[in-house]
Amino acid sequence: MTSETTDFLLIDEMLSDEERMVRDTVRGFVDEKVIPTIADDFEQAEAPMHLVREMGEMGIIGATLPQEYGCPGSSYVVYGLIQQELERGDSGIRSFNSVQSSLVMYPICEYGSEEQKRHWLPGLARGEKIGCFGLTEADHGSDPGGMKTRAVKDGASYVLNGSKMWITNGNVADVAVVWAKLDGEVRGFLVEKGTPGFTANLIKHKMSLRASVTSELVFEDCRIPAENLLPKSGGLRSPLGCLDKARYGIAWGATGSAMACYEASVRYAKERTQFDKPIGSFQLVQRKLALMLTEITAAQLLNLRVGRLKDEGKGRHQHTSMAKMNATSKALEIARMARDLHGANGISLEYPIIRHMNNLESVHTYEGTYDIHLLILGHEITGIPAFR
Amino acid sequence: MDILVCMKQVPDTETKIVINPEGTGIVTDGIKYVMNPYDEFAVEEALKIKEKMGGTVTIVSMGPQRATEAIRTALAMGADKGVHLCDDAFEGADSYSTAKALAAAIKPLSYDIILGGKQAVDHDNAQVYAALAELLDISHVSIVTQLDVAEDGKSAVAQREVEGGAREVIEVSLPAFIACQKGLNEPRYASLPGIMKAKKKPIDVIDLAKSGLSADEVGEKGAKLKIRKFFLPPEREAGKILEGEPEELATQLVKLLREEAKAI
Ligand SMILES: Cc1cc2nc3c(=O)[nH]c(=O)nc-3n(C[C@H](O)[C@H](O)[C@H](O)COP(=O)(O)OP(=O)(O)OC[C@H]3O[C@@H](n4cnc5c(N)ncnc54)[C@H](O)[C@@H]3O)c2cc1C
Ligand SMILES: Cc1cc2nc3c(=O)[nH]c(=O)nc-3n(C[C@H](O)[C@H](O)[C@H](O)COP(=O)(O)OP(=O)(O)OC[C@H]3O[C@@H](n4cnc5c(N)ncnc54)[C@H](O)[C@@H]3O)c2cc1C
């Protein structure tokens, strides 16, 4: 039995009809709307922004957030499946969705005022508005607590100074969720596009996530109304709470990328002949395929379990760290094996492999590097924090 | 407007078809089933009519248990309810006995227009809708690529494809059956909220007893035609590569075309 399917352990049977229908619908969308043009987007370094509205119409932005704010109010497993399918297309479109859903809409929903929620969430859910999340700074990545960006209260406004680096959607965002220190405490602020003193600069020369916008955000005496503070945000816990949601989705997404690489590899192994045989008949090639399928299966099970725990209210951020760390590193290994298996074709954008492989380098790093998640688990296991 | 859509679940168009050893049908193990692609145009058009004129969209489908999935997909796209003709007695139907069962399910319903795909991509018969329209005593317009329902809902203007890319414009009084062709519209994706609502929408299951038909009128027994055998086209043999000087090659080629291929 030669199978290209990535559902080796019949994990589909662990999903509800509704979950499968969402997965299949998003898969259809990605097959028809993302995959045919994404290599060009990647080559031209263009983000397919026209797909944002379509995702909005499909109701797959902010999937877990409540219906009263124009969101579907769905489960974490459904959210995960959406991310998996989007990243089966490209990490860029999945990044857009995770940032908008988990890093922009979630904090507005969780830490925002009623007016902020009513004002922003429905438009963001429909894809009519775009948001970004500014936590990382050029000199503070893994250690965001060291951030230099400051907010100072001045009458009925806050004045922001500082800069943020590597910010997904920065140049296309209508609203930035910016994390800055106010009297020494990390707080979240909503900064609208066009606010004087706020500029976004496109980061060029990226060799990864080329179909996604990444920017530097600069704040120079940027004055925002006092009501743009996210009132319920307080401390580093707040941005980390958002990251937990996004990272969870990244675990599914990276697995989607790995599935794309594996499926392409199985096809290639059967079609490509060398030494008068399909390369799939060589033991070394079979070894690669067997390892790929095993790791994909393991990641699917881990992701699904973490999702179910989240839906049951038993999820912990350490679970997310395990899933993110595992899925991104295995996906990267799988992409590299797929690259090798495709020979010279593996370096060409005519095949999806090098694009996924390069994308996964970012996915491995952002939202907590692989090593940082290892350390989070190390802390969990030993009780000893090894970060500092 | 009460809008009905006749919809069939069919094997995914990417399925690699394998004939069973007896030659009586295809191997169904591991096949992924989807909504017939032409029926997607019908569902989309029905939803557009509803959005413009109000009303309800009811999906009518005959098929085994698994066909509920395709009905749910249509409900997730925005249809309101389903009618599922589901009974072992309906199995093995041809176009005629399918139309017979559909007509029985449709007769008690109120309808202003019925839409469906121009053909189902499994058997490619393209006959059910004509037979159905006949049994319901309504008009049908086939291969429709544009449809405008009059504001009063009493008539419609349909464009249909004819030879050579020409278009025929037909005005038809309603109710009528409209058989939808690619190009009519671009079917929407089911939305996540739509999918979540779909499971609560009603599907009325109609078995043989409820259909009011007798067992010998439907399914294989009620069929006017019997399929004797399925077979796949023979696998293409590997091509021949001729070698030599151009002149010799031409001579060889002509010889082969005449003697082996009998093409000239
Ligand atoms: C394409 C892209 C998009 C991004 N989008 C966003 C966004 O939208 N919003 C946002 O806020 N950020 C974003 N980021 C930033 C991302 O989250 C950071 O790059 C990431 O947190 C790592 O920070 P850094 O790059 O400063 O690396 P550093 O923190 O400098 O890490 C460098 C290396 O040192 C290691 N290291 C650091 N500290 C320790 C330690 N204590 N012990 C052991 N090893 C350690 C790391 O594991 C890593 O290998 C994005 C990044 C990329 C590449
Ligand atoms: C940028 C670039 C520049 C190049 N420049 C040149 C050049 O200047 N001149 C030139 O002649 N070539 C050049 N090449 C071609 C290069 O040498 C080939 O790509 C290389 O030999 C691999 O061949 P392939 O791409 O056909 O892969 P394949 O041979 O099809 O291999 C595909 C996969 O199958 C595996 N495989 C194949 N056979 C077996 C087996 N028997 N057992 C186990 N595994 C097997 C391989 O290890 C690989 O993982 C270049 C390639 C690149 C990418």
Side-chain angles (χ1 to χ4, degrees):
Chain A
M1 174 83 180
T2 53
S3 172
E4 282 170 36
T5 171
T6 47
D7 187 17
F8 184 64
L9 289 190
L10 313 184
I11 296 169
D12 259 20
E13 292 179 7
M14 298 164 78
L15 301 176
S16 69
D17 290 348
E18 182 180 313
E19 287 162 349
R20 276 198 299 273
M21 199 190 282
V22 176
R23 194 260 325 267
D24 292 346
T25 305
V26 181
R27 184 169 290 187
F29 166 74
V30 168
D31 283 343
E32 287 161 27
K33 301 290 175 81
V34 179
I35 291 177
T37 46
I38 195 66
D40 279 343
D41 294 335
F42 186 96
E43 189 153 28
Q44 310 298 328
E46 297 258 4
M49 298 311 291
H50 62 282
L51 297 178
V52 173
R53 280 292 186 99
E54 292 208 39
M55 287 195 281
E57 278 165 22
M58 291 172 73
I60 57 171
I61 304 179
T64 57
L65 300 175
Q67 292 178 352
E68 57 176 316
Y69 301 110
C71 304
S74 184
S75 68
Y76 277 101
V77 169
V78 163
Y79 172 76
L81 288 164
I82 293 168
Q83 308 307 312
Q84 172 183 293
E85 292 308 317
L86 291 176
E87 197 151 352
R88 213 180 124 261
D90 190 80
S91 307
I93 184 141
R94 198 272 305 138
S95 295
F96 175 89
N97 193 294
S98 341
V99 166
Q100 180 106 336
S101 302
S102 291
L103 298 182
V104 178
M105 295 172 70
Y106 175 81
I108 292 175
C109 193
E110 200 63 18
Y111 313 124
S113 67
E114 195 55 35
E115 297 76 71
Q116 287 167 339
K117 292 192 232 187
R118 300 230 170 267
H119 182 72
W120 287 109
L121 294 179
L124 289 162
R126 287 193 297 266
E128 290 162 10
K129 297 277 182 216
I130 293 173
C132 70
F133 172 92
L135 177 66
T136 304
E137 299 182 355
D139 297 331
H140 301 276
S142 299
D143 177 25
M147 69 174 66
K148 290 282 182 296
T149 304
R150 293 281 181 278
V152 177
K153 184 90 195 261
D154 181 30
S157 353
Y158 289 102
V159 178
L160 267 56
N161 274 292
S163 65
K164 297 289 172 182
M165 192 63 182
W166 300 112
I167 307 307
T168 302
N169 293 350
N171 278 70
V172 291
D174 299 290
V175 61
V177 174
V178 179
W179 301 92
K181 280 188 179 165
L182 175 67
D183 302 324
E185 191 191 22
V186 175
R187 305 293 301 268
F189 299 88
L190 300 179
V191 182
E192 289 191 48
K193 186 183 194 153
T195 307
F198 168 37
T199 44
N201 306 312
L202 197 64
I203 297 179
K204 295 193 179 140
H205 316 300
K206 281 183 303 170
M207 294 307 287
S208 172
L209 278 181
R210 288 175 61 79
S212 167
V213 172
T214 318
S215 316
E216 177 196 31
L217 310 182
V218 181
F219 306 94
E220 288 169 313
D221 292 328
C222 173
R223 187 174 286 274
I224 56 169
E227 60 267 21
N228 284 16
L229 169 73
L230 292 176
K232 287 177 254 171
S233 66
L236 205 54
R237 260 183 323 116
S238 304
L240 294 184
C242 311
L243 290 171
D244 179 63
K245 307 293 181 273
R247 284 165 181 165
Y248 158 73
I250 290 174
W252 285 86
T255 309
S257 243
M259 285 159 62
C261 291
Y262 168 77
E263 282 166 6
S265 297
V266 175
R267 269 196 304 280
Y268 197 77
K270 290 194 211 162
E271 285 166 13
R272 173 75 174 168
T273 54
Q274 288 291 289
F275 305 99
D276 300 323
K277 287 185 203 158
I279 58 168
S281 56
F282 301 125
Q283 291 182 358
L284 289 173
V285 172
Q286 291 193 2
R287 173 179 185 273
K288 289 189 178 86
L289 296 173
L291 290 176
M292 287 185 198
L293 183 59
T294 305
E295 291 304 344
I296 287 169
T297 305
Q300 286 171 334
L301 289 168
L302 182 50
N303 297 343
L304 181 60
R305 180 64 187 151
V306 171
R308 293 272 186 248
L309 287 174
K310 275 193 181 305
D311 283 327
E312 289 164 17
K314 296 184 213 153
R316 300 172 60 221
H317 75 83
Q318 292 88 343
H319 297 157
T320 309
S321 286
M322 183 185 276
K324 197 267 180 186
M325 177 194 99
N326 173 69
T328 55
S329 64
K330 294 305 177 193
L332 192 50
E333 280 172 23
I334 287 168
R336 287 171 181 159
M337 279 194 268
R339 219 294 306 136
D340 183 46
L341 189 148
H342 279 72
N345 285 325
I347 71 153
S348 164
L349 279 175
E350 300 281 337
Y351 290 79
I353 310 301
I354 191 81
R355 180 169 52 79
H356 281 298
M357 193 187 96
N358 280 10
N359 282 340
L360 285 165
E361 293 289 350
S362 289
V363 178
H364 195 253
T365 285
Y366 66 21
E367 306 248 355
T369 66
Y370 175 80
D371 286 346
I372 291 295
H373 288 296
L374 276 181
L375 295 179
I376 291 171
L377 282 176
H379 184 189
E380 168 74 5
I381 296 163
T382 62
I384 308 166
F387 311 103
R388 54 191 93 239
Chain B
M1 294 281 281
D2 289 325
I3 308 157
L4 305 187
V5 179
C6 293
M7 187 274 299
K8 185 178 188 187
Q9 193 193 38
V10 297
D12 190 348
T13 47
E14 281 173 27
T15 309
K16 193 169 180 299
I17 298 292
V18 179
I19 309 279
N20 66 20
E22 306 81 50
T24 53
I26 62 170
V27 178
T28 52
D29 291 350
I31 285 188
K32 190 174 159 243
Y33 288 92
V34 297
M35 187 189 306
N36 174 35
Y38 292 108
D39 297 346
E40 286 186 23
F41 302 121
V43 173
E44 176 63 32
E45 199 63 19
L47 295 173
K48 281 181 143 166
I49 297 171
K50 177 188 159 182
E51 280 158 7
K52 200 165 128 212
M53 314 191 54
T56 56
V57 175
T58 305
I59 306 299
V60 185
S61 185
M62 186 179 92
Q65 199 66 49
R66 58 169 161 72
T68 5
E69 288 166 31
I71 299 175
R72 290 268 175 235
T73 303
L75 297 178
M77 287 169 78
D80 300 283
K81 51 191 193 236
V83 173
H84 185 182
L85 282 152
C86 184
D87 194 306
D88 288 347
F90 298 138
E91 300 272 325
D94 68 352
S95 300
Y96 176 72
S97 58
T98 301
K100 192 107 196 201
L102 288 172
I106 288 172
K107 268 181 191 148
L109 304 176
S110 139
Y111 54 89
D112 299 302
I113 188 167
I114 311 178
L115 298 137
K118 71 166 174 105
Q119 71 196 75
V121 301
D122 49 2
H123 288 276
D124 276 334
N125 282 329
Q127 293 192 35
V128 170
Y129 57 83
L132 176 62
E134 200 56 35
L135 292 170
L136 295 173
D137 199 19
I138 58 175
S139 309
H140 83 265
V141 190
S142 59
I143 325 185
V144 170
T145 52
Q146 193 181 317
L147 181 69
D148 293 294
V149 175
E151 262 174 45
D152 63 4
K154 301 259 182 278
S155 65
V157 175
Q159 279 193 22
R160 53 187 303 275
E161 261 179 13
V162 285
E163 264 315 298
R167 292 279 189 278
E168 193 172 88
V169 180
I170 290 184
E171 186 172 355
V172 64
S173 60
L174 296 182
F177 192 101
I178 306 293
C180 305
Q181 163 72 319
K182 190 179 162 85
L184 177 62
N185 53 45
E186 200 189 324
R188 68 195 65 191
Y189 293 99
S191 72
L192 173 51
I195 292 170
M196 292 166 71
K197 277 186 215 131
K199 67 173 174 221
K200 293 183 203 106
K201 291 181 177 172
I203 298 180
D204 185 13
V205 179
I206 299 191
D207 59 10
L208 181 66
K210 226 170 148 185
S211 75
L213 296 167
S214 67
D216 50 7
E217 289 176 283
V218 295
E220 201 174 341
K221 284 192 195 156
K224 298 267 184 204
L225 58 87
K226 194 168 167 58
I227 296 171
R228 290 185 35 200
K229 193 175 160 203
F230 283 97
F231 63 95
L232 290 172
E235 288 220 13
R236 241 187 28 192
E237 285 171 35
K240 242 184 212 156
I241 296 175
L242 308 179
E243 278 170 37
E245 294 301 313
E247 271 170 39
E248 293 167 37
L249 282 175
T251 320
Q252 279 188 51
L253 184 63
V254 169
K255 194 163 178 261
L256 285 172
L257 284 173
R258 192 188 292 275
E259 288 170 15
E260 266 192 33
K262 302 201 172 22
I264 50 175

